[in-house]
Amino acid sequence: MLPAAAAPRVRRRDDVRVPNPFTHRQSATCVPSTLSTTSPASNPPRDPESPTSNRGWASWVSPQGCVAHHVLDEIAASFGIIGHLAPCHCNGRVPCVLFTFSGKFYNCRYGPKIEKLNEVVTTGVLKNLENFLLKCLVAVLSYGPMPKHVAFIMDGNRRYAKFRSIQQGTGHRVGFSALISNLVRCNDMGVKYVTVYAFSIDNFKRDPSEVQFLMELMEEKINELLNNQSVIYKMNCKINFWGNLDLLCEPVRLAAQQVMASTAGNTGLVFSVCMPYNSTSEIVNAVNEVCAERREVLQRDHAGRCNGQAANNGMHSEISVADLDCHMYSAGCPEPDIVIRTSGETRLSNFLLWQTTYSHLQNPDTLWPEFSFRHLIWAILQYQRVYPYLVQSRKLAKKQL
Amino acid sequence: MLSNFLSRTIHRTRLPDYRLQAGTDAAVAPPDALAQSGIRPESLPRHVAVVPDGNRRWAQARGLLTPDGHEVGRRALEHTMEVDYLMGMIERTIRENVDEYERRENGIRVHVIGDPSRWPESLQKTAREAEEKTRNNSKLHLMLATCYSGRWELVQACRALAHKVQGNLLRPEDIDESMLAGELQTSAAAGEFSCPDLVIRTSGEQRLSNFLLWQSAYSELYFTDTLWPDFGEAEYLQALSSFQSRERRFGQRTA
């Protein structure tokens, strides 16, 4: 007799043992070993001789033998869907085939486990197939113009947590995992620069407990990035922190400076994290530096004249757009091709105002933790559609400057 | 896409023949239209900026642009001719409407912002006269951005501050956001209302193109596929309705 229909549950990638409310016993491992993403501490040690060891196809088999269950979940996971909507009758025994491609998550009454950041163990036939299909998709997309620089305003973490009745902090953690997976996807698609709006200077006015939590989360994640095994190092990623770092508390500031120093020589994707950042502060900072620089030049000239040296003829070029460009935090990076703000809000909120003059602005309704590969593909397709107009605008702008 | 933009702060924006509607109160939309569309009058945006894009596409769609002459030369000539035409049109628009603005009590005050060194002499004269004649009006401010660029505006402000620094009137480290904002042309025109609450861009293009770069930091952006000549009261009410459905947080949490 099958257990009664249950409310749908979300299975996280790193669920190892999930209590089943209907049988009141621990269900067996429902996660195939190919989806194991957690640190060794949260995964039980595996016996190489057991059927669940990591041996290619055999690794798909849970102790209860539910192959189809996990095959379908892998396909769903590759589309950014974690979990399935049907009640988990099987406990690993009966395949559950009901799932959608909507990417919608349901409330998990047990609370999702915190996502870990380490790279997914890429083994298994289906994983290889997934990688092959992704490469084909990227090759097809690459026939059109591909963006070099994508900027994200990662909005919607708190709403994600609210809709799922989970703690707000968990929403931010899931958002961070989404960030890493999108970074990997951007790297796969040949995007050279990724910029994210992690924390605004205005966000300091939020509830102090939320700000404290965010600072601790940032410190934790930055320290994880310093780990040589992290995804960032595998991509040979260079990390920049744009913003007024003096406003950060010391541990976060030191961690950020350490990451910048240790990745300064990397030649892969350039990942710029704006925190704590305001575009207006960036422009004021650039104006300060330009004015200070001009004053120094004048003082040097004046000192030179007083010492009887040949004076500069007194003509200095007027301050120009290029002067301010050099003093922006983004000096050396090209302007963003696409700016994506998730959660449907249509405003820039003081993000890269100077740099997004000719960027294509997009505002999908998806919340940031749900922003997955298919949303990225759609964003690039929209960019390719309007690319001729963007190029024309940039050419005209260059003529006029 | 040229560097000429028109920023209008009037609520009624239909301009089929590039003339403002005469004889109507252009400052406020009829109350019944607002009530019918469900828009709350108490939370209307105080400053609306418009990028009126799509005129060429509108004309092309109606077969009003005729290709003529050698392809390359035609394009270069078209660009220059189009710039001159637009300058002339802006000048005519200002001249034809300024008398009406001046006649109305506490009516519309005209500001023309942008790089005046790129305007023809006649436009410079017309702009100065219009600003002078409507100087005492205070009901509604109409800012026409001509040869305007947000980056250019910031560079001008930076130059002004650099001169003050070089004259030892100011130290570089004293420059802050409010000081820089005070040097912008829009601050001189609109004061505390220089930041638009709503920026509308027609013709489906989703970018800011250097328009009110500093001022639109927290503005709600509204993109519509309607081409500018077809943008009328109904489309404007839709934009207002979209504005009112948004939750503006300014980086902070809602109360």
Side-chain angles (χ1 to χ4, degrees):
Chain A
M1 189 173 196
L2 289 173
R9 59 174 277 271
V10 171
R11 179 167 56 77
R12 313 302 304 180
R13 282 182 180 267
D14 57 351
D15 274 358
V16 174
R17 299 222 169 245
V18 178
N20 189 316
F22 310 106
T23 59
H24 303 291
R25 61 180 171 85
Q26 295 280 336
S27 68
T29 309
C30 279
V31 177
S33 55
T34 55
L35 274 185
S36 165
T37 63
T38 60
S39 60
S42 52
N43 267 337
R46 296 195 180 276
D47 176 4
E49 298 306 314
S50 82
T52 57
S53 67
N54 194 359
R55 293 184 299 176
W57 182 258
S59 68
W60 283 98
V61 179
S62 74
Q64 284 68 31
C66 175
V67 174
H69 180 170
H70 304 302
V71 164
L72 291 167
D73 274 349
E74 267 266 337
I75 294 173
S78 69
F79 282 86
I81 304 161
I82 304 170
H84 51 273
L85 304 183
C88 185
H89 296 294
C90 71
N91 292 337
R93 290 184 184 277
V94 174
C96 298
V97 298
L98 298 175
F99 64 94
T100 72
F101 287 92
S102 67
K104 298 287 183 199
F105 291 98
Y106 278 68
N107 276 342
C108 173
R109 61 173 66 188
Y110 308 111
K113 281 206 176 170
I114 306 300
E115 294 274 336
K116 295 295 179 181
L117 302 175
N118 295 325
E119 189 159 335
V120 175
V121 173
T122 53
T123 58
V125 173
L126 271 182
K127 197 64 188 177
N128 290 333
L129 179 63
E130 178 198 337
N131 289 339
F132 174 71
L133 288 173
L134 285 175
K135 281 183 184 154
C136 290
L137 188 53
V138 170
V140 166
L141 270 184
S142 304
Y143 274 106
M146 293 294 278
K148 288 280 168 296
H149 184 173
V150 180
F152 294 100
I153 302 178
M154 305 183 292
D155 202 5
N157 296 317
R158 290 181 297 171
R159 267 167 282 179
Y160 174 86
K162 188 177 161 191
F163 293 155
R164 283 152 189 79
S165 306
I166 54 179
Q167 284 180 354
Q168 213 176 73
T170 312
H172 289 296
R173 287 182 180 275
V174 178
F176 189 83
S177 301
L179 168 63
I180 295 296
S181 67
N182 281 302
L183 203 60
V184 170
R185 293 295 178 221
C186 284
N187 188 50
D188 291 340
M189 288 197 282
V191 175
K192 293 285 175 231
Y193 299 86
V194 172
T195 303
V196 297
Y197 199 8
F199 193 85
S200 165
I201 294 178
D202 296 319
N203 295 157
F204 279 117
K205 297 173 196 161
R206 287 185 180 178
D207 188 59
S209 59
E210 186 184 347
V211 174
Q212 174 71 17
F213 173 81
L214 286 170
M215 289 293 132
E216 286 167 5
L217 178 66
M218 282 194 273
E219 187 190 346
E220 176 194 326
K221 296 308 178 190
I222 294 173
N223 286 326
E224 278 183 27
L225 292 178
L226 282 169
N227 179 352
N228 279 330
Q229 299 305 314
S230 77
V231 146
I232 298 295
Y233 277 86
K234 291 199 170 139
M235 292 194 297
N236 200 23
C237 188
K238 179 179 175 184
I239 302 183
N240 296 321
F241 284 90
W242 293 351
N244 191 351
L245 296 181
D246 294 332
L247 295 175
L248 293 172
C249 53
E250 198 170 333
V252 183
R253 186 176 62 247
L254 288 174
Q257 285 165 347
Q258 207 177 344
V259 163
M260 281 199 282
S262 64
T263 60
N266 291 354
T267 53
L269 180 138
V270 178
F271 176 38
S272 305
V273 183
C274 293
M275 60 167 250
Y277 176 88
N278 260 358
S279 190
T280 44
S281 301
E282 181 188 20
I283 294 171
V284 166
N285 182 63
V287 167
N288 285 351
E289 291 180 0
V290 166
C291 291
E293 199 179 69
R294 290 284 159 143
R295 187 178 62 171
E296 267 179 38
V297 165
L298 277 176
Q299 283 172 351
R300 268 205 307 270
D301 268 357
H302 180 69
R305 276 198 295 274
C306 290
N307 292 339
Q309 292 165 11
N312 190 349
N313 60 6
M315 298 299 293
H316 295 282
S317 58
E318 282 275 30
I319 295 170
S320 67
V321 168
D323 291 323
L324 281 176
D325 256 339
C326 294
H327 291 276
M328 293 286 170
Y329 299 137
S330 58
C333 274
E335 290 175 0
D337 295 303
I338 310 176
V339 176
I340 299 173
R341 179 170 187 150
T342 51
S343 82
E345 305 288 351
T346 321
R347 51 180 181 260
L348 283 177
S349 292
N350 221 336
F351 179 59
L352 298 182
L353 299 172
W354 179 269
Q355 295 86 344
T356 53
T357 303
Y358 295 102
S359 307
H360 186 237
L361 308 176
Q362 297 182 15
N363 56 323
D365 288 333
T366 324
L367 301 177
W368 174 250
E370 297 169 344
F371 190 86
S372 64
F373 183 54
R374 62 190 176 93
H375 299 106
L376 197 54
I377 297 284
W378 183 241
I380 291 176
L381 286 171
Q382 285 184 292
Y383 167 76
Q384 290 182 339
R385 189 172 60 87
V386 300
Y387 181 75
Y389 293 112
L390 292 173
V391 163
Q392 199 183 7
S393 304
R394 283 187 185 145
K395 274 189 194 157
L396 276 171
K398 278 187 188 154
K399 270 193 214 168
Q400 283 137 19
L401 279 176
Chain B
M1 184 66 192
L2 305 173
S3 63
N4 304 324
F5 299 112
L6 295 176
S7 164
R8 296 179 191 270
T9 58
I10 54 173
H11 292 262
R12 189 173 296 235
T13 55
R14 177 180 287 283
L15 295 174
D17 56 352
Y18 301 105
R19 289 173 60 101
L20 297 170
Q21 289 191 0
T24 56
D25 185 355
V28 178
D32 53 349
L34 277 180
Q36 277 166 16
S37 55
I39 289 172
R40 302 185 303 276
E42 66 274 9
S43 53
L44 287 173
R46 289 167 307 175
H47 181 170
V48 175
V50 178
V51 181
D53 203 3
N55 299 303
R56 290 181 63 155
R57 269 169 276 177
W58 187 90
Q60 263 173 359
R62 283 153 183 75
L64 300 174
L65 287 184
T66 55
D68 203 359
H70 189 272
E71 186 66 19
V72 172
R74 177 184 69 83
R75 278 196 212 140
L77 190 59
E78 244 186 32
H79 180 78
T80 315
M81 282 168 63
E82 193 172 357
V83 171
D84 292 340
Y85 175 79
L86 277 170
M87 294 292 182
M89 188 197 75
I90 291 166
E91 188 186 330
R92 269 196 316 277
T93 307
I94 296 173
R95 216 181 308 120
E96 285 162 6
N97 290 284
V98 74
D99 289 333
E100 186 188 330
Y101 298 152
E102 193 192 8
R103 268 201 305 271
R104 304 170 70 83
E105 191 180 2
N106 294 326
I108 300 174
R109 183 173 174 184
V110 174
H111 308 269
V112 188
I113 61 174
D115 186 357
S117 63
R118 293 186 178 220
W119 304 343
E121 276 294 329
S122 52
L123 178 56
Q124 290 184 31
K125 184 163 167 282
T126 309
R128 267 196 309 270
E129 281 172 8
E131 286 180 359
E132 187 58 37
K133 281 183 183 174
T134 57
R135 194 164 32 99
N136 296 321
N137 294 344
S138 58
K139 195 170 183 183
L140 188 138
H141 294 258
L142 172 63
M143 280 192 279
L144 296 172
T146 307
C147 292
Y148 175 88
S149 153
R151 286 185 174 183
W152 169 86
E153 195 185 20
L154 282 166
V155 165
Q156 291 299 110
C158 182
R159 285 178 188 171
L161 290 171
H163 280 303
K164 287 186 185 172
V165 166
Q166 284 160 20
N168 290 324
L169 298 166
L170 189 64
R171 292 179 306 169
E173 50 272 19
D174 292 337
I175 298 173
D176 59 9
E177 289 185 27
S178 53
M179 202 177 289
L180 185 57
E183 296 287 338
L184 300 174
Q185 278 189 327
T186 45
S187 294
E192 59 177 301
F193 297 111
S194 59
C195 296
D197 296 307
L198 177 62
V199 177
I200 299 172
R201 181 162 187 157
T202 53
S203 86
E205 300 294 334
Q206 293 192 195
R207 55 183 184 271
L208 278 179
S209 295
N210 226 342
F211 182 52
L212 295 183
L213 184 154
W214 174 279
Q215 296 85 340
S216 60
Y218 295 101
S219 305
E220 295 293 328
L221 309 175
Y222 179 78
F223 300 110
T224 172
D225 289 335
T226 317
L227 301 177
W228 174 244
D230 296 326
F231 190 88
E233 186 176 331
E235 289 79 15
Y236 184 71
L237 288 172
Q238 261 184 335
L240 290 182
S241 171
S242 169
F243 172 79
Q244 292 196 338
S245 67
R246 299 183 190 187
E247 189 190 335
R248 303 184 79 188
R249 295 189 293 269
F250 299 95
Q252 304 165 48
R253 192 177 179 164
T254 47

